[in-house]
């Protein structure tokens, strides 16, 4: 009886369909890719998945708070070029990378602040506001590094791919990032992010400082995006202003596949993690299924639509049956 | 007894306009510690605007507010809450995606020593109020899945759990039934004895006479008078004439003067769906049928089912003798079966569209009705606005800028031009003022006289008793008793509702 109830509760969770999809793509991947479960294959996969996972966590926090960030991709680009330019001559001098990290962090929090300010205090619609800021970040990135270049010291690149059996640097970063969200979720700010995302006017009437909550959700989101930017940068080992562009829409897709409502206020951040892994695995699948290259994009799109449809249709059914029962 | 507690709140000629609409022209008011003050007035007379200004949700154009003698300028609700002012909002201020207990604690979450959310304490605090106000309501329900009345109770519980020295209740009882109101009143009396001041807004005069020490009446945005019960007596007519600005004759025109017809309009045979079981009845032409019973026994579901919003699992439905199957609300509308839903914000209105559009949306369910020129529709809408005396600046006013009661009139009014065969009403007079309520029921009776059959659910028993030809008492989704003719009295209805519980549990 208890177990039945627990199962029922699990199946009610908004990220439930994404878990099912995740299991399915893992099974398909395992069938197609030899040694899928070998330790080093898992580590390599995780390494390549890390940027999208971290960026999607950031996007999820912002969307949960009723916002949307179309600038995460160019935020990643700006962070990448800042680091590649400032760390280019660091060599083996460990202290010499500090300015690069500091500048990247200041830039990330600054970009979060600007986005949060336009959405929270100026009350501009986030879709347009962050579309505009995304152009600004991109412009800045191009100014700093007009054509691909710069470099990241090898010891940093190696350090990021450090691993011991299944414990690897990317895994540690993802876990720490998620724990940071858990920390926030366990504070009033976490509750308020959901409240503002669900019904801003009501939250305001209850004495919640809704502007500040929105501001913080963007800053926090940008912090996770920054971690994603680090991950990409350590893999690319150089700078390119175009590097982040594709992450914007992919991260939104990951969030929705993960069962988070685009209108905000419902869903769990862990769903975005699942969503990001799913989308990455789909790309793997296409690669290993030997699909001719001219069909790859087409197939990718079709699979994403399918995953989205599953996630969204399930949500709708759930909320309908809840409303009537 | 003159209350000699200290003055808690005093306002001097507060003014507030929205564009060209003067919502408040002279909001003057004062109340003392430990008083329950009734704030009355017709729909759109400025009660909510006044309350929101005190709460810091709106900013006045002119005027002064004093709290315990000190002038204050609240810039946001936070400022007001810090001074111990708490409000129950007419347009509920609940977070739909959060649970009952999360909502009750919103904005003043208990924390542990390290600053984390202390959910255990929060739940305990929520349980304390809920157990008194809405026993049986689960703390873990997500608010958007609750019935309107349950949501209302959560909204009240939230304010009560905040505590404070001044409590503003903006139509807290509009969606509640008698037992729920009684529970609320018990708590209000207790708070009063502890020195809390309460401003109570309601259109139900009976409640106001019962719970308040005195009433203040607003008309067209100005304070037009105070009736102190100790001094002036509980004179209902005097209050009503203050509200309407007209001499009150006192006679109630509730006569059930229709001729009974035996022609069947709507026939339900063994209908089952969800919690509803084996519902069978016949509604005749021109008949007004009431649905009574304790709250949450399937009354709203029954109406939703008849309107095609909940699918039939079993049974047969006939309209004018012809069997029908409703797959969508549109099917029902095409057969002339229309619903005035209980949750106007969610199901009845497009809050950010104009009044005009909201009235004509009702037509969109009809086939072949798409090409009527707007000019003709405009005349029709004007007609609706004047028959229901809807207070609005223009036909283009956005729905959300109408006062609560006026929004409710639109929900009902949009069906009038369609001359429905069967009119399903779920608490149609919720939040509608005394005079408008009378006009609304006059209109419903008029429709019935012209052949519409009406099925009415109302949380206020008085409405059922004074307007229905027959009343079905529902219990756990079944019709367990029927009252007709002289049996229809408030006492009998309450007795029948309670009897149902006893009979079933015996
Ligand atoms: N935001 C707004 N924009 C424009 N007009 C508004 C707005 N809010 C209220 N009004 C108008 O101000 C007037 C007073 O409205 P208010 O809500 O205070 O009335 P009320 O006394 O609470 O009525 P009810 O009993 O129906 O709730 C109404 O005419 C209403 O249409
Ligand atoms: Mg009002």
């Amino acid at each position: 009886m208890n177990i039945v109830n627990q199962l029922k509760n699990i199946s009610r969770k908004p990220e439930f369909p994404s878990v099912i999809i995740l299991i399915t793509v893992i099974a398909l991947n395992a069938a197609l890719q030899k040694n899928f479960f070998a330790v080093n294959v898992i580590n390599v996969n995780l390494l390549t998945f890390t940027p999208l996972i971290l960026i999607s966590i950031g996007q999820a926090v912002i969307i949960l708070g009723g916002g949307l960030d179309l600038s995460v991709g160019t935020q990643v680009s700006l962070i990448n070029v800042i680091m590649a330019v400032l760390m280019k001559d660091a060599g083996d001098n460990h202290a010499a990378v500090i300015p690069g990290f500091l500048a990247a962090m200041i830039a990330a929090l600054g970009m979060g602040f600007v986005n949060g300010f336009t959405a929270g205090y100026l009350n501009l619609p986030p879709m347009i506001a962050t579309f505009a800021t995304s152009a600004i970040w991109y412009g800045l990135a191009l100014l700093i590094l007009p054509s691909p270049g710069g470099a990241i010291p090898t010891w940093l690149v190696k350090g990021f791919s450090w691993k011991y059996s299944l414990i690897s640097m990317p895994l540690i970063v993802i876990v720490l990032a998620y724990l940071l969200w858990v920390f926030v979720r366990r504070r009033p700010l976490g509750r308020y992010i959901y409240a503002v995302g669900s019904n801003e006017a009501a939250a305001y009437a209850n004495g919640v400082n809704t502007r500040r909550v929105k501001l913080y959700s963007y800053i926090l989101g940008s912090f996770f995006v920054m971690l994603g930017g680090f991950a990409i940068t350590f893999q690319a080992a150089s700078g390119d202003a175009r590097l982040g562009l594709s992450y914007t829409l992919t991260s939104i897709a990951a969030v929705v596949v993960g069962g988070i409502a685009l209108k905000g206020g419902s869903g769990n951040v862990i769903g975005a993690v699942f969503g990001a892994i799913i989308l990455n695995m789909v790309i793997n699948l296409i690669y290993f299924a030997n699909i001719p290259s001219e069909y790859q994009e087409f197939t990718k799109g079709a699979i994403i639509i399918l995953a989205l449809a599953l996630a969204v249709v399930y949500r709708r059914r759930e909320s309908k049956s809840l409303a009537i029962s | 007894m003159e209350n000699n507690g200290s003055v808690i709140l005093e306002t001097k000629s507060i003014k507030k306009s929205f564009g060209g609409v003067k919502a408040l022209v002279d909001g003057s008011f004062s109340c003392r510690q430990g008083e329950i003050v009734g704030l009355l007035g017709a729909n759109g007379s400025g009660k909510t605007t006044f309350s929101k200004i005190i709460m810091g949700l709106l900013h006045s154009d002119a005027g002064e507010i004093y709290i315990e003698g000190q002038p204050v300028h609240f810039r946001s609700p936070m400022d007001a809450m810090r001074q111990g002012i708490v409000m129950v909002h007419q347009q509920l201020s609940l977070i739909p995606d959060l649970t009952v207990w999360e909502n009750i604690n919103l904005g003043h979450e208990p924390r542990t020593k390290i600053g984390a959310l202390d959910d255990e304490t929060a739940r305990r605090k929520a349980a304390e109020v809920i157990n008194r106000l809405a026993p049986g309501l689960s703390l873990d329900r997500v608010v958007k899945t609750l019935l309107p009345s349950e949501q209302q109770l959560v909204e009240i519980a939230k304010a009560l759990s905040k505590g404070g020295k001044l409590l503003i209740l903006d139509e807290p009882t509009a969606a509640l039934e008698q037992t729920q109101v009684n529970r609320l009143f018990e708590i209000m009396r207790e708070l009063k004895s502890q020195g809390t001041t309460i401003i109570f807004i309601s259109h139900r005069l009976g409640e106001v006479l019962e719970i308040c020490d005195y009433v203040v009446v607003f008309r067209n945005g100005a304070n037009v008078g105070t009736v102190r019960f100790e001094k002036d007596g509980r004179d209902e007519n005097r209050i009503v004439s203050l509200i309407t600005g007209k001499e009150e004759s006192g006679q109630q025109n509730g006569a059930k003067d229709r001729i009974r017809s035996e022609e069947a309009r709507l026939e339900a045979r063994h209908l089952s769906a969800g919690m509803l079981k084996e519902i069978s009845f016949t509604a005749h032409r021109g008949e007004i049928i009431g649905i009574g019973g304790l709250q949450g026994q399937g009354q709203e579901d029954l109406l939703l089912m008849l309107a095609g919003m909940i699918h039939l699992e079993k049974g047969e439905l006939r309209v004018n003798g012809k069997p029908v199957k409703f797959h969508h609300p549109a099917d029902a509308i095409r057969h002339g079966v229309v619903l005035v839903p209980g949750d106007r914000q969610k199901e009845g209105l497009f809050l950010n569209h104009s009044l005009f559009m909201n009235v004509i949306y009702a037509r969109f369910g009809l086939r072949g009705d798409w090409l009527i020129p707007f000019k003709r529709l405009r005349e029709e809408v004007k007609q609706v606005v004047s028959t229901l005396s809807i207070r609005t600046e223009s036909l283009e006013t956005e729905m959300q800028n109408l006062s609560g009661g006026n929004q409710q009139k639109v929900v009902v009014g949009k069906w009038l031009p369609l001359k429905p065969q069967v009119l399903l009403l779920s608490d149609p007079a919720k939040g509608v003022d005394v005079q408008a309520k009378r006009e609304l029921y006059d209109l419903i009776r008029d429709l019935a006289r012209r052949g519409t059959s009406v099925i009415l659910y109302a949380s206020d028993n008085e409405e059922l008793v004074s307007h229905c030809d027959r009343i079905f008492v529902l219990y756990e989704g079944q019709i367990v008793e029927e009252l007709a003719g002289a049996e229809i009295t408030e006492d009998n209805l309450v007795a029948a509702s309670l009897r149902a519980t006893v009979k079933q549990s015996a």
Side-chain angles (χ1 to χ4, degrees), chain A residues 185-188 191-192 194-196 198-199 202-209 263-266 319 322-325, chain B residues 57 75-78 81 89 93-98 101-102 106-109 111 114-117 119 145 158 162:
Chain A
R185 202 188 58 198
R186 300 284 313 127
R187 319 277 121 178
R191 179 84 35 85
Y192 295 164
Y194 277 89
V196 169
S198 181
N199 185 342
Y204 182 72
N206 282 291
V208 173
N209 189 336
K263 62 173 181 50
S266 87
S319 63
L322 271 179
I324 287 176
S325 74
Chain B
L57 264 168
R75 301 190 48 234
S76 74
M78 284 155 266
M81 284 174 192
H89 295 266
S93 64
L94 298 174
I95 308 293
D97 289 302
L98 294 185
W101 67 268
E102 285 170 333
L106 189 71
H108 58 123
E109 286 79 4
R111 303 174 198 195
I114 54 163
L117 292 167
D119 290 346
T145 68
K158 179 157 61 77
K162 279 191 180 121

Side-chain angles (χ1 to χ4, degrees), chain B residues 258-261 263 265 283-288 421 445 447-454 469:
Chain B
R258 271 155 291 111
I259 315 137
R260 280 289 296 275
S261 156
E263 194 182 319
R265 193 91 306 155
H284 301 102
R285 212 184 118 93
E287 193 176 27
I288 302 182
Q421 304 277 311
R445 225 176 295 119
L447 278 173
R449 209 173 285 126
R450 280 185 277 145
T452 303
S453 51
V454 179
D469 302 311

